[in-house]
Amino acid sequence: MIRKTKRMVMGIMAVICLARNPVFVYGKYTFTSITEKQEKSYWCWVATARGIARGEVFVGKTQTDAVIAVKGENVNKGGTVQELESAAEYFAPGKNFCIRYRAFTFSEIVSAIEAGHLVGANWGYYYGSVRNGGHSVFIVGYNSNNGQQTVVYCEPLIGEIQQKKYSDFVSGSEKNYNVRYEQSIYVSYK
């Protein structure tokens, strides 16, 4: 009886979340209700770490907790991909997160989502051939309807779900710079 009530409450909560943030995603699993807004201007990395960890376990720790654990103090600084990985493991003890120094293919994104895992993605910002910064987001779903390959992700700057064609997600241009999806952070089971 208690399990049935819990399932019903969780179902109602999921419907409420989806109604507030509708995303039409085709796939076995989607995580449209998991969003994470970065608490400080340079904390996209820790928001992404917390987001992908929330796909694995309940996370009670805050972004500030993780920054202090990883950097040794509460500072508003960007993080490396190794710090993002460490923060994800801080949020989800016992889970093994890995770094891949290249983009996931669309089929790898589909496989991860359908296996029930979110994927962190790091973009590099380039002015010509010079890398000048980066940004982290986390992938929560995909859309492959009508042959169109779309990535559904949480943008931690605003804490909202967004969608982009996979080709634009991997390599695109924004005002004054080019963006490249360069690194993937994902949970691995050995």
Side-chain angles (χ1 to χ4, degrees):
M1 180 68 172
I2 292 173
R3 276 190 177 161
K4 220 178 221 185
T5 304
K6 278 185 178 178
R7 280 191 208 138
M8 186 172 70
V9 169
M10 293 300 284
I12 291 169
M13 294 296 288
V15 169
I16 290 168
C17 288
L18 289 173
R20 287 184 57 225
N21 198 4
V23 176
F24 301 101
V25 182
Y26 299 86
K28 186 174 179 185
Y29 292 95
T30 59
F31 299 89
T32 55
S33 62
I34 294 182
T35 60
E36 187 76 28
K37 185 173 182 185
Q38 61 194 63
E39 293 174 8
K40 294 189 179 180
S41 57
Y42 290 104
W43 283 10
C44 61
W45 65 277
V46 73
T48 294
R50 191 167 189 275
I52 61 176
R54 287 175 60 205
E56 301 299 320
V57 298
F58 171 78
V59 175
K61 299 170 186 165
T62 68
Q63 292 177 29
T64 300
D65 295 334
V67 170
I68 293 168
V70 171
K71 291 193 175 279
E73 61 182 324
N74 183 0
V75 292
N76 185 18
K77 292 184 177 177
T80 65
V81 68
Q82 293 85 6
E83 289 172 323
L84 192 162
E85 176 191 32
S86 294
E89 290 177 350
Y90 172 78
F91 286 126
K95 301 294 180 181
N96 181 39
F97 287 87
C98 298
I99 302 167
R100 182 157 78 183
Y101 292 92
R102 66 185 199 296
F104 268 24
T105 65
F106 187 75
S107 63
E108 289 170 323
I109 290 170
V110 169
S111 294
I113 294 299
E114 291 195 357
H117 308 294
L118 295 115
V119 177
N122 283 346
W123 288 326
Y125 290 167
Y126 287 85
Y127 296 94
S129 61
V130 178
R131 189 178 197 278
N132 191 7
H135 184 56
S136 298
V137 300
F138 58 97
I139 302 168
V140 298
Y142 68 92
N143 181 335
S144 57
N145 194 27
N146 297 326
Q148 185 84 281
Q149 295 179 333
T150 303
V151 175
V152 181
Y153 64 99
C154 178
E155 172 51 79
L157 278 171
I158 56 176
E160 293 181 4
I161 301 296
Q162 302 204 339
Q163 298 183 56
K164 272 189 183 180
K165 285 194 299 188
Y166 176 75
S167 58
D168 293 337
F169 187 83
V170 170
S171 180
S173 60
E174 296 187 19
K175 188 176 182 181
N176 299 323
Y177 56 85
N178 293 317
V179 179
R180 293 184 206 151
Y181 169 20
E182 300 177 315
Q183 300 155 339
S184 305
I185 303 88
Y186 59 98
V187 72
S188 173
Y189 293 94
K190 294 181 178 184

